[in-house]
Amino acid sequence: MAGPVQQEMEQLLTDAFAPSRLEVINDSAKHHGHAGDDGSGESHFTIVIEAAAFADKSRLERQRMVNRALGDIPGERVHALAIQASAPTA
């Protein structure tokens, strides 16, 4: 079951991009006891997102768009975030 931070990220990204594909994967268990593990079980995530909004954007622009949509979550409430953002292919 998704925790509150994961659910919030899913909602924010859905609202911002209406993605055709969205996976918010909690990787925190793989980092238990490592730097950044705050014990919440929601410290490390991978986001796989596909949305039309990413068409004609560079990888860096796509990552910045995702980070902006997530507000204070990256760096404040989540220690590590891997982003795989792409546009749908025809």
Side-chain angles (χ1 to χ4, degrees), residues 2-84:
V5 174
Q6 182 174 347
Q7 291 175 1
E8 184 179 355
M9 287 193 293
E10 289 169 352
Q11 189 62 56
L12 288 168
L13 294 170
T14 298
D15 292 348
F17 302 110
S20 53
R21 178 179 178 206
L22 176 62
E23 293 179 63
V24 178
I25 304 158
N26 188 337
D27 297 321
S28 301
K30 297 177 189 174
H31 301 277
H32 180 71
H34 298 177
D37 176 23
D38 62 5
S40 70
E42 291 192 290
S43 59
H44 295 71
F45 288 91
T46 297
I47 293 174
V48 179
I49 184 169
E50 181 180 276
F54 300 131
D56 300 321
K57 304 285 191 234
S58 71
R59 186 173 137 249
L60 180 59
E61 289 172 312
R62 293 171 184 188
Q63 290 183 350
R64 287 178 175 163
M65 290 169 70
V66 169
N67 280 317
R68 273 194 301 273
L70 294 175
D72 73 337
I73 294 174
E76 293 292 324
R77 296 192 282 156
V78 170
H79 173 72
L81 187 62
I83 301 170
Q84 299 170 17

